[in-house]
Structure formats: C-alpha cells, structure tokens
Amino acid sequence: MSKARAASVTLCAFALGLVTANSASAAGWTYGAYEGGGYGVWNYDPGPDPIGYGDAPGDAIAACDISADGWGIEVRLDIGRDGDIDRTVSTRGHSSPYCSDYKTGDISPEGTPVRVWVVKVNGSTDYHPVYKDGNA
C-alpha cells in the first residue's frame, strides 16, 4: 500500500464523524464495526467518496480496517432485506490500515431497501455483526 493511501485511510478514520454528520452533500454513509477497528461504506448514488478517494460508484459497498488488532472487516449487502447476502467485500489478507475496492452493481427500482452488515472477521470467526438499514 502506498504511503499516501495509508495516510488517507488514517485521516478518513478521524474524519468518519464529519463524513456521516455532513450527509446532505454525501452520496452515502459509513458505519462503524462493533467496538471499533474499522467500518463499512454504503454509497447509494455516484458521488463524493466517503473513504476520500474522489468519486465513488452508486449502489456500492466497501470495507475499511483501521486497526492492527488481528481482526479484518467484512461488509455484506442484503438487497431487499430478505436475509440473503447479495454482495460481500472484505479486508481479509491485508494489513491495516486498508480499504477494499468498491463492489457495485445497479439495484432497481430506486428506493429498494438494503441492509448493510459490518462484521469483524478473523479466519472463520465472525464477531458481533452490526447493521444499518438504507435504500438504493
């Protein structure tokens, strides 16, 4: 990972509260993992990237691990809130700080309910999944 990207990820961790508080100009939001260590990103429309890399695609998720605590971050997207996981991204196999690439694909119709799960992971262990509901 480049030093610039690592510095950007660290800076974004500190700016996390600012990004979520200023949702009027954002096209998405971030949601922290249980007991910290990382967060998930949901970008419902193309626009400003909550991770801080310029623009981000719409209907997209990303995972960010900001703590070298032995746990990775996995983000799971449940389209329609029907209990089936439709998309997954993870920081597994990467040293922190690290943010995954976005995983995206059109969700229609507009306004479809989604549930974004943020899960701490280590090997085959999931630790205290948390979620936030939103719309496509």
Side-chain angles (χ1 to χ4, degrees):
M1 176 189 306
S2 73
K3 288 182 182 180
R5 183 172 171 141
S8 181
V9 169
T10 302
L11 178 62
C12 288
F14 293 112
L16 181 59
L18 296 175
V19 170
T20 56
N22 190 15
S23 61
S25 64
W29 40 258
T30 59
Y31 194 65
Y34 182 75
E35 295 182 342
Y39 57 94
V41 179
W42 166 241
N43 222 53
Y44 49 86
D45 284 332
D49 184 354
I51 300 172
Y53 299 119
D55 289 332
D59 297 337
I61 56 173
C64 291
D65 182 356
I66 59 172
S67 178
D69 57 5
W71 292 91
I73 301 295
E74 188 168 280
V75 176
R76 304 168 184 163
L77 180 64
D78 176 359
I79 300 169
R81 296 185 207 151
D82 58 6
D84 293 328
I85 300 302
D86 301 287
R87 278 183 211 150
T88 303
V89 293
S90 178
T91 66
R92 291 178 197 260
H94 297 275
S95 298
S96 66
Y98 175 80
C99 289
S100 72
D101 290 333
Y102 279 96
K103 190 164 190 180
T104 187
D106 186 45
I107 300 173
S108 62
E110 257 332 278
T112 297
V114 298
R115 178 164 287 159
V116 179
W117 290 91
V118 181
V119 186
K120 289 177 117 171
V121 293
N122 186 339
S124 61
T125 302
D126 290 1
Y127 180 68
H128 208 291
V130 295
Y131 68 86
K132 184 172 180 177
D133 289 338
N135 295 296

